[in-house]
Amino acid sequence: MTVPGKTKLVYQYHGKLTELATKVHSVRSFGSLEDANRLLFKNGADDDFVVVTGETIFHPQGGGQPSDQGFMNWSPNGTTAADLSFRVEAVRMDAVNGSQVLHLGSFTTPAAASQLQPGDRVKQVLDVEKRLLYSRLHTAGHVLGSAVRSLLETEIPGFDELKASHFPDSAACEFRGAIEGKWKEPIQRRVNEYLERSMPVEIDFWTEQDFCREGLERLIPDRSLLPPGEDKFRVVRIVGAEVYPCGGTHVDTTDLCGETTVKKIARSKGISRVSYTVT
């Protein structure tokens, strides 16, 4: 359901949508944002704007995944005139009103800035190439995490998965425990196995009871992480491997990650960082 004044995260339910018609809630200059929200955008400039819509297919940066990019297009006053455009360059969850999604960017013409108003209808259009890359990287990160757990969970005292980055230039998964370099090749072989099996990647929504039923109490997230108006957690299951609470975007089967290479294992202060690339 859509909560009034909130942004419905459509990408979490319909991850293959690349275009979406929705309504504008607000248009603000970057300079008018609260301090906490300006700090979310390291590259924000005074001539940028932030658009909030009732729904979005743009994934905000978070969970280790970069934000989507693309455009919002509309016709002035609902006419058939040539479309005006707002270029979406970065997306974040609102730090003050956490139920809203902030789309930062710039209008493609100076006149467009004054012609987009609350209540107007826009068509969101994703940069499909970037979305696919980020989805491949995110799923590959889960494949890597699952491969490492399957090999080392009983081999390393206190082992656990910690956090991950799925950015193109810094993709890596971190684990508690010292993973020695000798494990690099076995991890690569297990990753390759999971990719070659074309394991389905399924999206579902679970209650705390669902986690308990699966024996995965350790994965129950804090309820503060639930999307506005929701009472179930989004989970991603790699069928035959692992389940992860996850709000990110993914490919449909593991083979679609493409070639995934384990680059390096680094260790520091009891934490191991396994970096990877996809091609």
Side-chain angles (χ1 to χ4, degrees), residues 114-278:
S114 63
Q115 296 190 49
L116 185 62
Q117 301 294 325
D120 286 349
R121 302 286 294 182
V122 294
K123 181 166 71 173
Q124 297 179 340
V125 181
L126 289 182
D127 182 323
V128 177
E129 185 175 342
K130 283 189 170 68
R131 161 61 73 84
L132 178 58
L133 173 60
Y134 300 157
S135 298
R136 291 171 55 219
L137 280 161
H138 203 148
T139 303
H142 286 340
V143 168
L144 174 60
S146 180
V148 172
R149 178 177 287 279
S150 70
L151 290 168
L152 299 179
E153 185 172 22
T154 61
E155 297 287 334
I156 297 177
F159 174 88
D160 199 6
E161 294 179 65
L162 299 177
K163 61 181 181 178
S165 167
H166 310 297
F167 283 70
D169 297 328
S170 58
C173 299
E174 292 188 4
F175 306 88
R176 180 174 291 112
I179 301 176
E180 297 179 14
K182 67 180 183 180
W183 287 105
K184 182 172 181 288
E185 289 307 314
I187 292 170
Q188 182 68 71
R189 288 195 296 270
R190 185 60 55 87
V191 166
N192 292 345
E193 174 192 338
Y194 286 178
L195 299 180
E196 291 165 3
R197 286 166 58 186
S198 300
M199 303 161 85
V201 181
E202 299 179 348
I203 306 297
D204 204 351
F205 293 84
W206 286 9
T207 64
E208 288 94 335
Q209 289 72 30
D210 293 323
F211 283 95
C212 295
R213 184 192 66 241
E214 297 279 339
L216 296 172
E217 293 89 344
R218 64 181 173 81
L219 296 179
I220 298 176
D222 189 289
R223 289 191 66 83
S224 66
L225 300 177
L226 282 169
E230 303 295 342
D231 59 0
K232 293 184 178 181
F233 298 99
R234 187 175 188 266
V235 297
V236 174
R237 181 195 291 274
I238 299 176
V239 178
E242 287 283 312
V243 174
Y244 292 92
C246 180
T249 65
H250 293 274
V251 292
D252 289 335
T253 55
T254 55
D255 58 301
L256 296 178
C257 295
E259 183 176 350
T260 302
T261 302
V262 180
K263 289 178 58 182
K264 181 181 178 181
I265 301 175
R267 296 169 295 278
S268 177
K269 299 179 181 179
I271 303 298
S272 297
R273 189 171 192 271
V274 183
S275 57
Y276 69 96
T277 59
V278 299

Side-chain angles (χ1 to χ4, degrees), residues 13-63:
Y13 304 89
H14 306 286
K16 299 300 180 290
L17 282 181
T18 59
E19 297 185 2
L20 175 72
T22 186
K23 186 178 292 187
V24 173
H25 277 336
S26 64
V27 182
R28 300 176 61 185
S29 66
F30 177 72
S32 72
L33 293 181
E34 304 85 354
D35 289 346
N37 280 329
R38 285 200 302 274
L39 289 172
L40 296 174
F41 299 100
K42 295 181 179 178
N43 297 321
D46 289 343
D47 56 352
D48 286 334
F49 287 81
V50 168
V51 176
V52 174
T53 53
E55 303 166 291
T56 189
I57 53 174
F58 287 89
H59 181 281
Q61 181 172 303

